[in-house]
Amino acid sequence: MFSFFEKYKKFIFTGAIILLTVLALVTSGKKLNATIFESALGFVVTPFQDITSGIGRWVENTTSERREQEEILAENESLREQVASLQADNTRLSLYEKENAKLSALLKIAQKYPEYNTFGTTIIAKNPGSWYDVFTVDKGTSDGVEANMVLAAPEGLVGKIIESGATYAKGQSILDSRSSVPAMSARTGDLGVVKGDYTLMNNGLCKMEYIDAEAEIAVGDEIVTSHLSDVYPPGLTIGRVKEIKNDTNGLTRYAIIEPAVDLKHLDTLLVIDKTNTRTVSPGDLSVSTDIPATEPETEEEPLTETDETETTDTGNTPDEETQTNSNSEADTN
């Protein structure tokens, strides 16, 4: 029988379809009361109609669900792309906000010294090690950067330019063992020289030397650049006193200084041109580009013999001579 069905299955399916079609037409009338034949025929046809309707609904539901799933997947992919784009925009805005805050802080320092030319620069390389002792910035002589120009961060002094090429310059921080900065206590006015120390640099510290034995400087005092320098503008914050020790000679003391600037993490810096002879490019962070007019100095009369004697009598004390010599040494370095 199975072979008979396989042999004539096309005819059987065709006949079944025709029969179902005829039955559907016959039962589609709108009579209020069905005949006995119609009732019997409906009894036979109804199960087949239920089956075909169920299959149709299943196919329709399956197709609809598949279509909805595809739409949901496409929508999810679109939303993921939008979220990724928004996250990238948020990251960029956060970086711009931080950069703007740094530039605003640098601008405040620049406004403190309106008589000097100032502009921004970015560190592009550094010597090996955790701390920034010697590093490279992205501006050089073509931008007006020359040796002995001062480098500052929003928190205070970083160091100075020690070498300048056409499109780059090398900077030296106060941690470098060759660095030497005339300094003073902002509270007491006690003078000294802040120098880099190879051993202290490993801990991000430097020292202030040539402090008078009777100085009132104390732990916690703010140390700033003094007025006794031809390189550094006065009043720039260097750091705070962490510890005070006596020198072996017993005549002077020295202090361990913790820099105000985080010299482990530097990027954008302010260049201060104390010579005030360079103009600033239009795109640079700038405060003043004009040299203020100054009245010519009057020529002083030569000292008489009496004046020379008085000057000699009121000359520097040994401690003052030591401080003057140390400040001269610091500017030279």
Side-chain angles (χ1 to χ4, degrees):
M1 182 177 179
F2 180 75
S3 59
F4 174 82
F5 178 78
E6 285 292 329
K7 184 176 181 180
Y8 298 101
K9 63 180 178 179
K10 292 183 179 179
F11 298 102
I12 295 172
F13 281 124
T14 302
I17 292 172
I18 294 173
L19 178 61
L20 291 174
T21 303
V22 172
L23 292 176
L25 292 175
V26 172
T27 58
S28 63
K30 298 183 180 179
K31 296 179 181 180
L32 296 177
N33 297 317
T35 63
I36 296 175
F37 175 75
E38 289 175 343
S39 297
L41 190 59
F43 177 78
V44 175
V45 172
T46 298
F48 290 99
Q49 288 181 328
D50 291 339
I51 293 174
T52 54
S53 298
I55 293 173
R57 286 193 299 270
W58 178 82
V59 172
E60 183 179 357
N61 292 336
T62 302
T63 304
S64 177
E65 289 176 0
R66 177 61 62 86
R67 188 183 303 111
E68 290 177 356
Q69 289 178 355
E70 292 177 352
E71 291 176 353
I72 291 173
L73 291 175
E75 184 178 0
N76 287 343
E77 182 64 25
S78 177
L79 290 174
R80 278 196 293 268
E81 292 176 357
Q82 292 180 19
V83 169
S85 177
L86 290 174
Q87 288 177 340
D89 291 341
N90 185 56
T91 301
R92 283 194 296 270
L93 289 174
S94 179
L95 292 175
Y96 291 152
E97 184 178 359
K98 291 179 180 178
E99 185 68 17
N100 183 62
K102 291 177 183 177
L103 293 177
S104 297
L106 290 177
L107 182 59
K108 290 181 180 179
I109 297 179
Q111 290 172 341
K112 186 178 179 181
Y113 303 98
E115 67 273 26
Y116 304 138
N117 292 331
T118 56
F119 47 92
T121 187
T122 302
I123 296 177
I124 55 176
K126 65 181 290 291
N127 279 6
S130 301
W131 302 94
Y132 282 79
D133 51 350
V134 178
F135 48 86
T136 304
V137 298
D138 63 351
K139 283 185 172 61
T141 54
S142 60
D143 303 290
V145 176
E146 295 181 353
N148 286 332
M149 288 186 177
V150 178
L151 295 170
E155 298 80 10
L157 179 66
V158 172
K160 68 178 182 179
I161 299 294
I162 57 174
E163 178 186 329
S164 185
T167 58
Y168 74 95
K170 287 188 176 181
Q172 175 193 70
S173 80
I174 57 177
L175 293 183
D176 188 77
S177 58
R178 296 165 294 178
S179 174
S180 187
V181 183
M184 62 182 287
S185 168
R187 182 180 64 87
T188 66
D190 293 318
L191 298 173
V193 178
V194 173
K195 291 187 174 183
D197 183 274
Y198 186 78
T199 303
L200 292 174
M201 185 183 71
N202 294 329
N203 296 317
L205 303 172
C206 49
K207 65 163 55 177
M208 181 175 176
E209 298 182 339
Y210 308 118
I211 302 173
D212 189 88
E214 298 180 357
E216 297 179 356
I217 188 170
V219 173
D221 279 0
E222 180 185 8
I223 304 301
V224 300
T225 52
S226 74
H227 58 285
L228 301 177
S229 174
D230 292 331
V231 175
Y232 299 94
L236 265 177
T237 300
I238 299 175
R240 291 193 176 274
V241 176
K242 186 179 180 67
E243 187 178 356
I244 298 177
K245 297 183 178 181
N246 293 320
D247 282 321
T248 55
N249 57 25
L251 300 176
T252 56
R253 295 187 292 171
Y254 69 92
I256 306 300
I257 306 299
E258 183 175 9
V261 178
D262 181 4
L263 295 173
K264 250 187 179 180
H265 306 92
L266 293 176
D267 45 22
T268 303
L269 302 178
L270 182 72
V271 179
I272 302 176
D273 179 8
K274 193 178 177 182
T275 62
N276 203 21
T277 58
R278 293 286 180 177
T279 58
V280 182
S281 302
D284 291 333
L285 177 65
S286 176
V287 173
S288 174
T289 59
D290 298 327
I291 303 175
T294 57
E295 296 183 359
E297 297 180 356
T298 57
E299 184 176 355
E300 296 182 355
E301 296 182 359
L303 294 174
T304 64
E305 183 176 355
T306 304
D307 294 333
E308 291 176 356
T309 303
E310 292 177 354
T311 303
T312 304
D313 293 338
T314 58
N316 292 334
T317 64
D319 289 340
E320 290 174 337
E321 289 178 358
T322 302
Q323 181 61 53
T324 303
N325 292 336
S326 64
N327 290 332
S328 299
E329 177 188 351
D331 289 342
T332 302
N333 292 334

